[in-house]
Amino acid sequence: MFNLYELNPRRLWVKYVFALGIILFFLVGSHLIHLTVLSHTANDAKIINIAGQQRMLSQRIAFFATKLNTPSVLSEDTEITSSLAAAIKRFESNHYWLLKHALNSDASQQMYFTPNGPEVDRLTKWYIAEARKSISSSDNHPLEDVIVNLDKMASKPLLKKLDDAVTLFADESGAKIERLEFLQLASLGMAIVTIIAEAIFIFFPAQQGIIRSLKKVEDQNQDILLQNTKLVSLSHDLNHEINHDALTGLKNRRALKEELDVCVQGYRSGSQLFILMLDIDDFKEVNDTFGYPVGDLVLKYVAEQLNSLCRREDVVARVGGDEFVIMIESSGLLSESRIHKLAEDIISKLKVPTILQRNEISIGVSIGYAVAEKLPIDGPKLISDADIALRKSKSSGKGMALPYRADMRDELEAHAKLLVDMMHAIENREFVSYLQPQVSLQDGRITGFEVLGRWNHPEKGVLPPSVFIPMAEQVGLIDQIDEIITSDGLAILAKLRAEGYNVPRISINMSARSLRSSNLCTDLTRSVTEQGLAPNDVLIEVLETTMIETSADQAVSTVTELSDAGYGIAIDDFGTGYSSLSMVVKLDVSELKIDRSIVQEMDKAKGRQALEAIILLAKQMNLTVVAEGIETASQFNTLKGLGCDIAQGFKIGRPMSLDQTRRWINSYGKNVSDGPMLAFENLY
Ligand code: C2E
Ligand code: CA
Ligand code: CA
């Protein structure tokens, strides 16, 4: 129950009640003893008093008896006699009272009754008897004898005995009171001891317990506080994680949305809100070429540069793989030109080559931006506007910053619609071949036709490749379009031949995607054979950029396969790429098609020299040279003079439908090889 060390505050009252009970017990005891002492003291005082009276009465009796014997006093003196009688009576009654009340100890019993000693009882009774005799003195008992006896007795030994009795009673009383007082003191002492014990065993442990409990509570509080701090920092971390991009530390899409919402809500007219959307150009190639770790470094680097160029209050966020958004709010001080300048600064700063993991990398980015000026602001639309401007800047050649314009959205929507239309167009085979003639510069004969794709759009009419080819390339539908146009071209060739037109060959443009298909040669040969044609009736035009993009292999082996199968191979737009010569060396090429841009520059010395060099090269390598984009007679004649083999261009004939082609051939001179060669000048 009293465990000093374990203290249950709820059970503490039991200890208190117990301790108080003990204290109360001792206090009540002490009080009772005290009362006993008082009553004993009173009793003893009476005993001592009466014992003392006996002493005094024995003297008085002796005195009165003596007085009775004095000659001057009459023996019949009644006053003395009655006083003597009263003294005797009192002496006697006192004696019996003492016998009854005072003899409480062996010593007192002995003093009064010891048989052989001069005991008080016997002496007293004898003395009383003697005294009575003095009153009724006779001759047998002469008064003188009585007085002598009384005197003898009164002085000794009765007086002595009575003295002793008084002393004995006083001593016994003193001893008893001493014992009781000791008991009372002991009781009080016990109460005090209990109080001290209570202090030691209850109060002190309770105090210690309370201190321990308080300390425990304090520790728990401390713990709770610590936990709370941890929780707060955890929730802070979590919040940071939720709102930030782990790689760059920038805000993420979610945080951007929140910031934008806040900004839109607090937007005041007169201020401006800009959204810049930025996308890294050809980021996929960075990853493909240098690997993902370097890709990550590029993203981090871009994030750092953006932070360094923006103000602290601007929000810079990474919202996708390589997409970033900057939100700039200003109280009307920023003009659109400032934002455009910022965008251009970002572009040029990132373009400066930097070393990332020992690779020198120059980062190209495209930016689109939009501004909100009028209330109410539509946050998501603002982002979407910037995104549209970004896409426009991407499709317009990358590496530039464009502001959003309303017509961009229309364009985009039209573009999206066109994409849907294109998928239907493939299903419905709405793509057809137009033919552009190629003639010999030496004898004017038709050498063939280039097949150029057209889209017979049910609503929009005939659409040129510039409308659908980039889109088809982007979404990966170009090879299906190539296939439709090729089979249409082959069918037209077969048809024209069947109709008696002498068309030596057709050239077909093959996209990179088509050339990457390992089935191309087989499929093409099947189509060619189906039309009753042979591979050498077909020339495949390959763009330099195709081979760079695919960086070899499948496209190269397809071209080799085609060449081995008997198809002619022409390098299209020759002289515009970077690897013209390496292409000529790598591939089994039969023709070079000089690009229109070079033909158009022939009037300038440099252009002319380039033209001459290409023709010379082709001659030395035994390749046929075709010049395209001939628009004037002088271009025609110059090329003829330079020894170029074949001419193609609007001056000779535009890309034409089958009907137009028939008419063109008819007017150019059906079956020219049979008749006189028509001079170009004569024709136009
Ligand atoms: P390309 O292969 O260089 O074709 C020649 C382009 O130059 C044609 O444009 C033609 O109309 C144009 N052209 C010809 N002579 C002249 C001239 O004297 N002056 C001017 N200004 N232009 C001239 P088109 O038909 O719009 O085709 C554009 C490009 O689309 C072609 O360039 C070719 O790369 C691509 N293309 C056309 N059809 C197909 C196809 O079926 N498949 C693939 N993959 N690409 C095709
Ligand atoms: Ca071509
Ligand atoms: Ca070309």
Side-chain angles (χ1 to χ4, degrees):
M1 187 175 174
F2 292 109
N3 186 336
L4 293 189
Y5 304 103
E6 263 325 301
L7 178 121
N8 181 354
R10 285 187 190 84
R11 305 285 302 161
L12 202 60
W13 67 271
V14 179
K15 295 183 185 183
Y16 282 130
V17 167
F18 183 78
L20 287 175
I22 294 174
I23 293 167
L24 204 67
F25 171 79
F26 285 118
L27 283 180
V28 168
S30 164
H31 182 66
L32 289 177
I33 293 166
H34 183 68
L35 288 180
T36 313
V37 168
L38 283 181
S39 95
H40 277 269
T41 310
N43 204 36
D44 291 351
K46 198 174 171 188
I47 291 169
I48 293 164
N49 182 27
I50 288 175
Q53 277 181 26
Q54 291 299 77
R55 204 177 158 275
M56 185 266 289
L57 283 169
S58 72
Q59 300 276 47
R60 184 184 254 210
I61 289 165
F63 171 74
F64 283 126
T66 311
K67 204 149 194 194
L68 270 182
N69 200 32
T70 309
S72 59
V73 178
L74 289 173
S75 61
E76 290 87 18
D77 191 328
T78 51
E79 200 185 320
I80 292 172
T81 308
S82 67
S83 292
L84 181 60
I88 293 166
K89 199 177 172 214
R90 196 144 160 231
F91 187 69
E92 191 178 26
S93 77
N94 273 0
H95 180 67
Y96 285 105
W97 188 90
L98 284 172
L99 286 185
K100 198 174 171 195
H101 294 103
L103 307 186
N104 299 321
S105 67
D106 287 349
S108 56
Q109 288 278 347
Q110 229 166 19
M111 179 168 277
Y112 271 70
F113 298 115
T114 306
N116 300 321
E119 66 271 31
V120 178
D121 184 51
R122 195 170 54 86
L123 275 174
T124 302
K125 281 174 181 161
W126 178 83
Y127 192 75
I128 290 166
E130 284 301 311
R132 288 236 170 85
K133 280 178 196 164
S134 70
I135 296 169
S136 55
S137 58
S138 65
D139 292 338
N140 292 345
H141 299 286
L143 189 63
E144 292 83 17
D145 291 354
V146 172
I147 288 165
V148 169
N149 274 343
L150 283 177
D151 205 30
K152 224 172 28 188
M153 296 282 279
S155 51
K156 25 163 161 159
L158 180 64
L159 197 62
K160 165 115 183 7
K161 275 290 153 185
L162 288 174
D163 262 352
D164 286 352
V166 170
T167 310
L168 180 71
F169 289 141
D171 283 354
E172 280 186 347
S173 165
K176 189 165 69 192
I177 297 301
E178 218 167 77
R179 269 200 316 277
L180 283 171
E181 271 175 356
F182 173 76
L183 263 180
Q184 191 199 357
L185 266 178
S187 183
L188 255 177
M190 282 312 285
I192 290 167
V193 166
T194 311
I195 288 171
I196 292 169
E198 193 183 19
I200 293 171
F201 296 114
I202 301 175
F203 279 122
F204 183 67
Q207 176 67 40
Q208 292 298 95
I210 287 166
I211 289 171
R212 269 201 308 276
S213 296
L214 279 177
K215 175 107 180 52
K216 228 182 199 167
V217 169
E218 254 169 41
D219 286 355
Q220 277 168 355
N221 266 352
Q222 205 67 27
D223 263 12
I224 290 169
L225 229 86
L226 206 79
Q227 299 283 62
N228 199 44
T229 324
K230 270 188 199 158
L231 221 73
V232 165
S233 99
L234 212 76
S235 89
H236 186 266
D237 286 356
L238 212 74
N239 201 35
H240 190 272
E241 221 164 85
I242 288 172
N243 289 314
H244 288 79
D245 167 41
L247 179 69
T248 60
L250 293 180
K251 297 223 160 101
N252 59 17
R253 183 179 285 278
R254 194 192 125 93
L256 174 73
K257 191 188 169 298
E258 270 176 19
E259 296 268 5
L260 186 62
D261 286 348
V262 169
C263 186
V264 164
Q265 271 159 27
Y267 195 79
R268 302 273 165 273
S269 61
S271 57
Q272 277 180 311
L273 178 61
F274 291 93
I275 295 287
L276 281 85
M277 196 167 271
L278 178 147
D279 188 288
I280 301 178
D281 295 334
D282 307 316
F283 184 62
K284 191 183 168 299
E285 254 134 66
V286 174
N287 275 334
D288 289 349
T289 315
F290 302 105
Y292 285 98
V294 175
D296 284 354
L297 288 180
V298 167
L299 292 171
K300 277 191 197 170
Y301 178 76
V302 170
E304 277 163 27
Q305 299 307 311
L306 293 183
N307 270 333
S308 77
L309 284 167
C310 291
R311 304 172 306 173
R312 275 187 81 84
E313 58 266 38
D314 299 336
V315 176
V316 182
R318 179 176 170 223
V319 294
D322 62 341
E323 262 189 31
F324 297 82
V325 168
I326 302 167
M327 186 177 100
I328 298 172
E329 199 193 358
S330 96
S331 48
L333 297 171
L334 285 177
S335 63
E336 196 175 316
S337 63
R338 283 273 304 277
I339 294 299
H340 193 82
K341 167 97 176 41
L342 170 68
E344 289 193 323
D345 285 352
I346 292 171
I347 292 170
S348 52
K349 188 156 187 192
L350 288 171
K351 204 171 268 173
V352 176
T354 180
I355 308 285
L356 297 175
Q357 251 187 21
R358 291 188 300 277
N359 302 294
E360 196 185 65
I361 295 175
S362 149
I363 302 161
V365 293
S366 301
I367 298 177
Y369 59 90
V371 58
E373 282 158 326
K374 274 180 279 160
L375 286 165
I377 304 285
D378 182 347
K381 185 179 176 293
L382 197 60
I383 296 262
S384 134
D385 287 353
D387 189 33
I388 287 169
L390 169 64
R391 282 197 247 170
K392 180 70 189 170
S393 106
K394 282 254 173 206
S395 66
S396 317
K398 302 177 181 173
M400 61 177 100
L402 286 182
Y404 169 76
R405 301 278 173 254
D407 57 324
M408 286 179 184
R409 186 174 286 276
D410 302 342
E411 199 179 292
L412 200 82
E413 278 161 10
H415 189 263
K417 187 179 176 302
L418 202 67
L419 187 63
V420 176
D421 287 355
M422 190 158 76
M423 292 194 244
H424 290 132
I426 290 171
E427 252 171 62
N428 304 335
R429 296 183 84 84
E430 285 171 15
F431 297 96
V432 293
S433 293
Y434 269 46
L435 302 183
Q436 186 176 28
Q438 296 175 328
V439 298
S440 163
L441 275 164
Q442 305 315 317
D443 56 19
R445 267 189 290 182
I446 297 171
T447 57
F449 289 85
E450 178 174 4
V451 173
L452 293 160
R454 294 292 181 267
W455 178 0
N456 258 332
H457 195 281
E459 294 152 25
K460 298 192 169 96
V462 178
L463 300 176
S466 56
V467 175
F468 61 91
I469 287 201
M471 189 198 282
E473 274 174 341
Q474 224 174 24
V475 297
L477 292 171
I478 186 67
D479 49 343
Q480 298 185 43
I481 294 173
D482 278 350
E483 192 272 318
I484 297 170
I485 291 166
T486 303
S487 62
D488 189 49
L490 291 171
I492 288 173
L493 175 61
K495 204 172 214 164
L496 284 172
R497 282 193 180 171
E499 288 168 9
Y501 294 99
N502 182 8
V503 180
R505 64 163 199 202
I506 54 169
S507 352
I508 295 171
N509 294 288
M510 233 15 116
S511 69
R513 198 178 164 89
S514 294
L515 288 168
R516 255 183 260 148
S517 154
S518 54
N519 300 328
L520 180 72
C521 187
T522 325
D523 294 348
L524 181 65
T525 306
R526 193 184 311 116
S527 303
V528 166
T529 320
E530 268 169 20
Q531 296 294 345
L533 303 167
N536 62 6
D537 293 325
V538 179
L539 184 118
I540 303 296
E541 296 194 2
V542 179
L543 290 164
E544 261 176 52
T545 46
T546 300
M547 312 314 271
I548 294 166
E549 266 177 32
T550 55
S551 64
D553 305 347
Q554 188 52 55
V556 173
S557 49
T558 306
V559 169
T560 311
E561 206 185 331
L562 288 167
S563 159
D564 290 349
Y567 296 98
I569 305 292
I571 296 193
D572 204 356
D573 298 349
F574 188 81
T576 54
Y578 302 103
S579 58
S580 309
L581 283 177
S582 83
M583 288 270 292
V584 174
V585 174
K586 212 172 345 180
L587 302 174
D588 196 0
V589 172
S590 51
E591 266 183 47
L592 295 185
K593 286 190 80 175
I594 304 173
D595 191 64
R596 195 169 77 229
S597 60
I598 296 172
V599 171
Q600 273 161 1
E601 294 292 303
M602 69 164 70
D603 294 337
K604 293 175 191 153
K606 278 263 163 67
R608 174 117 183 183
Q609 281 159 10
L611 204 58
E612 282 173 13
I614 294 170
I615 293 169
L616 194 69
L617 171 87
K619 293 283 144 200
Q620 277 175 353
M621 295 189 80
N622 214 12
L623 301 174
T624 308
V625 200
V626 184
E628 61 178 2
I630 296 171
E631 294 178 346
T632 64
S634 96
Q635 286 170 345
F636 185 92
N637 290 326
T638 308
L639 284 161
K640 188 179 175 180
L642 287 173
C644 181
D645 303 308
I646 296 171
Q648 181 184 345
F650 291 171
K651 188 68 189 166
I652 300 147
R654 290 182 174 261
M656 299 167 289
S657 67
L658 175 58
D659 271 354
Q660 292 169 325
T661 307
R662 283 196 193 98
R663 266 181 267 135
W664 183 86
I665 299 175
N666 287 335
S667 64
Y668 188 75
K670 199 177 175 190
N671 207 355
V672 284
S673 57
D674 293 343
M677 283 172 212
L678 297 173
F680 183 78
E681 283 84 353
N682 298 341
L683 198 68
Y684 292 91

